[in-house]
Amino acid sequence: MGTLRRAYWLFAIYFASLYHVALAQVPIVQTTRFKNLPIDLTYFEDSSTVVYHDVMAGDVWISDDEGKNWRQVADVPTGQAMMFFAHPFARDTAFILTKDETHYRTTDFGKTWQSFNVPASPALVSDPLSFHSQQNNTILYQGMVCEKDGWWGGNVCHDETFYTTDAFTSPAKPLLAPTRSCRFAHSSKDFKHSAHSDLVFCVAWDSNSSRSSKLFSSTDFFANDKRVVNLPGGNRDSDGVVALAIVSKFAVAAVKDLSPGNGDEMFLYVSIDAETWAKGRFPHASSSQLRENAYTIVESTIHSLAVDVLLHPKSAIGTLFVSNSNGTNFVESLQNTNRNFAGFVDYENIYGVEGVGLANVVDNAVEVDGRNAERIIKSYATFDDGSNWAPIPAPDSSGDIDCDRNHPSKCSLHLHSVTSPHNFGRVFSSPAPGFVLGVGTIGNHLLPYDQCDTFLSTDAGLSWRMVHKDAHKYEFGDQGSVMVIVNDEEAVDHVSYSYDSGKTWQDLNLDVKIRARVLTTVPDSTSQKFLLVGTLHKSEHNGDNRPHAAVFLDFAPLRKEQCTQDQFEKWYARAAKDKECLMGHKQWYNRKKPDANCYIGNKFTDPEEHEDNCPCDEDDYECDFNFIREGDDCVPQGPEPIPTGVCEDPSPGKTYLGSSGYRLIPGNTCDQSRGPQKDKPIRKDCSKAQLPPGEISHQTFEFPGQIVQHEYFKESKTILVRLRDGTVWQSSNEGYTWRNPLPDQRFLAFYMHRYSPDRAYLITNSDQLYVTINTGQSWELTQVNHPANTLGIPVMSFHPQESDWIIWIGGTPGCSDYQADCHTEAAYTTNNGRSWASIESYVKNCAWGRDTDLKIDSQLVICESYRDKKGSQALFTQANPLELWIGSHFYREKRKLFDSVVGFTKFSEYLIVAELQIERMALDLQVSLDGRTFASGLFPPSMRPDNHAYTVLESSTDSVFLHLTMSDRQGAEFGNILKSNSNGTFYGVSIEHVNRNPYGYVDFEKMIGLDGIALVNVLSNPEDAPLTGHKTLQSRITHNDGGTWKPLTPPKVDANKQKYSCTSSACALQVHGYTERWDPRATYSTPSVPGLLLAVGNVGEQLAPYTESDTFLSRDAGFTWEEVHKGAHLWEFGDSGSILVMTNDEEPTDYVLFSTDEGLTWNDYTFGQKMRVKSIVTVPADTSRKFILFGYNPLDQKSSLAVHVDFSALTRKQCERAIGRTLVMHNSEDDDFELWSPSEEREERCLFGRQTLYHRRIRDRDCYVGEQIKQEVTLVQNCTCAATDFECEFNYVRDANGNCVLGAGLSPLPSDDYGCRLGDDFWYERTAYRKIPYSSCTGGNRPDRGEAHICPGPRAHGFGFWFSVLIVPFAVCGLVGWWYTKKSGLARGTIRLPDRRGSFGDFSDAGPLATLASVPYFILGLAGIAWEYVLSRMPPLQSRRGYRNVPVDEDAQVLRFEDEEE
């Protein structure tokens, strides 16, 4: 019996032990109810303390055991907690901010709290506290200070910044006011530099100027040290800074571009040492401009900076750009990124794995932006830091996949990301190495969240598998050894967990039914405890008004054994499937084996990253300083700077040790002993080194053929040259070195993108097209649907807003042989040529309707299309009329505008169509400002364009200039220039007998940079020329946009100080014009020097032959001239006028002439080889001191020469600009620039009714300008109207006395109330004069105004009317409708174009600007935005070059090359 009893107790003890073991292996679940959901759950770093901030109630709850038990903070009054901040560098410290001036601090993980005061409530910003990464007690506080406005009782508020060095133990001290934000230079562990430990940056306003904010710095909290941070190449005085951030290893400043006409464009400045700042350079796609509130600095690595730029504002779609190692040069990484309107971007890096990231793109961006279509979202992954992106491979173990995973474009994994967050913290990954979870779908696009499933990757995104149906929230614990997921589509009573890397899952009952809102754990994912927060199901409510809960989950009881070393495996984080090295090393971690039955432990110890250095390869190097990427090579920008004392021996053959052109990327750890050492210095000839100050250098290159085309990228130092043999050559350093990027290819032409200066296209005779988006650093091959047409029709048309939108006009094969099916085929692309869609066949021209100032539907396409689409297009006659069609939605919805046209053109704000009236074989000019409504142009009866060729000339001053051919006899071509009113409908004669050539080009050229100034050549023998075939030319100039013309005033003496032989009153300066130039881009003027003109001509009564001419210069916009050198010369402007270069244009030469004082003195430089120079070029902005002479050896004309001449060493002193100079006309000695006005030294003080000042270098200063900030044009004042502000009205011409008289047999236009604009009191009958549309003069004599009449509307009614309105108020509705309809031209039976009148200076001091001073400060931002919007819609004050020709006669060609610079 005793034996049985003992056995019984043994069995009882055994089963009891089993029972307790079973109990021990059950996870712990504990629920705490709350009144509101938290705004955030914050863990103190490396601790078990978690904070639950109930912002609705204003309370803070704290748990010391990771959420198992909770207590309310007792030291903070109930309802006062507005913000909670954990100190990012002191793990035991946190702050609670209230809405008032009393706040609270803890330094013991929230156990106790102490109050402190700051004399300002927290500013309305996301982070009013800024912390020092090395001095934990040093903190910045941004507060808001408000003052009562005495007369209206409102508050005027601004932000001020305070600082403490003892964590607010003593009162905080004022730092700076007013401020936008302040940051410590040492505010990030990754931003490593040697700057002063107390260095602070503040975006603030200068006390001396409230114009805009600047970036200030100080090392003593602005006690004595206050400096403006220099931001080179941006705004004057470094104004316009709006934000500062520390991102990874970069300090980033956002700066608003304050130059005229730039709206809300931004600059980005980057520093990696907190001392020197450089402007970030983005690819100059027209659509990739940074704009305020339209770009996001996304999660970046320590190697590069990532910025997403909003390109489609209406639909929140962007493009991702990634920088080089120093954050200054960006390349396009991914197009059409998915954003939301708050600026968040679907982009996230995988934590702890270098170079791996996930992003979402909008696959149908064009349809979303144009038709508001539903987004089609696709997911992509990068494994090389954004250099390449690919679809995420579909899992191969999901049985219900209904697509072919061998075609990733149609079958891949797509995941919900940042823009649709469903949890706190990171979306996909955690510090658990290599583990990634996501919610998504398999197929060709992402489905809505509630139709998605849950997927897992254990190799950092290389491969995936579905781990659970339906969408789930997820979290990793214990470095990934345990994963927890909870259904995220409905309320549930359980969670699922896995201990074997997601292979198997088990359910854990929660004892409550809850709709999950947050699932989280400690930030480093090293704990086995989790916190689930959500809303209880209504069945769980117990009436205590606490409908939310925090559920504590502890999985520690499941595993009792800690992992041993043999239960770990080495896991390599591959950078790509075929490459393991990134930044010179391989990453690896020790991870628990999936089947190991153990826990990792080591709580609060981050997984240790290990690195194995790799042998160096090509990707580990980048271009060294003063070198630039050209294809696969780094080439010098010019002669290499060398230390003093090197290469001082002038003996030939001397060498120096210089840069190889490469450097190891900073931070790269590759092993150079096991790979190429590309940064090893090499021996170079001293001729390659930078010369001592005062010397000039040159390099000569011989091309193996004749040059037929050359052009710079507009904002680059890279130039392309095409030879007659079809090869294309490229120089990325202004002609210093040359290479053939595609030696095996031959090209018909190349096109520069009109609106995106970094892009160019090389056109072949096949369906291959070579494209660059980075100024020729690389060329990519793409396909077009048809080869380029051979009918002389422009091949490419570019969109002014969307850089990737291109129209291509190809042709069928055999057009050169006039085959029966020869015709054109037009297509468009919205992705820069990666795919094409058809537009129309048998077209003569297709173009985007949108232009820079013609702001119509961006998807509108206009085509000239032949009616009968059959036969050979090359043989068509007028029997097959050319119709004009317009189509929206990329021509999918099209309609016919005109039955028969000769052509159309668009520039500035005008769309002009030459309509052919077949019945009477006459030509009508149709003009539109909106692409929908057209009005016929009215011409003087004798000058209708019925049977005349005409050329539409350039205009940027609210009028159309038109050259109407009056004589087309060979050798005697000339015509009249007509000028329109502001909407292009009424045309009057501006000047008669203007010279043109047989191709429709006209001797008409506007001055660049100064509107309204133009030069023409006219025939002095218009009656004899058609009979003799010989033209006698004279020059004329206008300074009021063609209102009046006069001869050019000749200089008194020539270049040798001798008087001219011509002394009669008919003597004038005559200059050779546009039609005689070999290179039409060699203009009289330059955009970089206001008022400067160069021309070849003579002083006499008529223009002499070119070879008998001399060279002349004007510094005052053509009012006065001086002869600067004998003989005809080619010229070019350099460095904003600090250097002028000329060379003989009459015979071969071996030298150039140069002047550093704008022609006062000239020197020569011999380059040693005689050549016939055909053109001199420099960068398009004329801001460089390096020039290229193109020409040929007169003894060997089969080849061509390019001589690079470098004047950079002439002086090393850069011109300086006085700080804070007021707008006065005198110039100080400490300033190398002058404020100049065209009104100086002459009676006419104003141009276009206003006096304007321009900044330019003083003529005799010995300094160079460089790429300094472009100074604003300054309007001093509007002027009283004078005779020069008026021109002749329609059908009126000027007589011999300069008065406007009615032309013989002509009738004046009838008067009507069309002159009434909104707000006008009176309209005036027409007179012989009309005000020049571009003039802003006010008051004075107004010869354009006849008898005054009250405008229709309220002022036209008397007391009785208003009495009746008061009695019958509903009558007001009808009155307003009638008044608006009448004044806006919308009355039945009228079709009118918008009137463009009312431009510069139409606002007075009593307008909006005068009232802003009384508006409360917080409203100024909105008011400023509204005012900027108004100003941005005002007519631009700028000039463009270009011709548009719409001829009828057979000898004139249609000149519409869309790749021409305009």
Side-chain angles (χ1 to χ4, degrees), residues 677-691:
Q677 190 176 348
K678 298 191 68 174
D679 60 346
K680 184 177 181 179
I682 59 176
R683 282 281 166 190
K684 298 181 180 181
D685 192 276
C686 282
S687 63
K688 303 294 183 183
Q690 191 177 76
L691 295 175

Side-chain angles (χ1 to χ4, degrees), residues 462-504:
L462 284 175
S463 61
W464 296 76
R465 66 176 184 269
M466 183 191 296
V467 293
H468 215 291
K469 297 290 289 184
D470 300 326
H472 288 72
K473 295 188 189 299
Y474 42 82
E475 190 55 273
F476 304 90
D478 194 35
Q479 298 188 30
S481 73
V482 59
M483 304 177 200
V484 180
I485 62 175
V486 60
N487 190 290
D488 197 21
E489 297 182 14
E490 59 185 359
V492 293
D493 59 3
H494 68 277
V495 298
S496 300
Y497 64 92
S498 173
Y499 253 105
D500 55 6
S501 299
K503 293 180 179 179
T504 61

Side-chain angles (χ1 to χ4, degrees), residues 717 734 1086-1090 1092 1132-1141 1155-1158 1177-1187 1205-1217 1232-1233 1255-1259 1261-1269:
K717 297 178 180 179
E734 302 178 73
T1086 170
S1088 64
V1089 192
L1092 192 64
E1132 186 56 275
F1133 307 90
D1135 189 46
S1136 300
S1138 80
I1139 185 163
L1140 307 179
V1141 174
S1155 172
T1156 58
D1157 51 18
E1158 296 182 12
V1177 298
T1178 185
V1179 295
D1182 294 345
T1183 56
S1184 174
R1185 291 186 286 171
K1186 299 174 183 178
F1187 301 81
V1205 186
D1206 186 356
F1207 296 92
S1208 301
L1210 273 180
T1211 179
R1212 301 280 171 83
K1213 179 182 181 296
Q1214 189 168 15
C1215 301
E1216 297 181 357
R1217 197 181 311 274
D1232 292 316
F1233 294 87
H1255 294 260
R1256 66 181 189 182
R1257 171 183 167 273
I1258 297 175
R1259 186 173 193 177
R1261 287 291 199 264
D1262 183 20
C1263 62
Y1264 73 94
V1265 178
E1267 295 184 2
Q1268 292 199 27
I1269 304 164

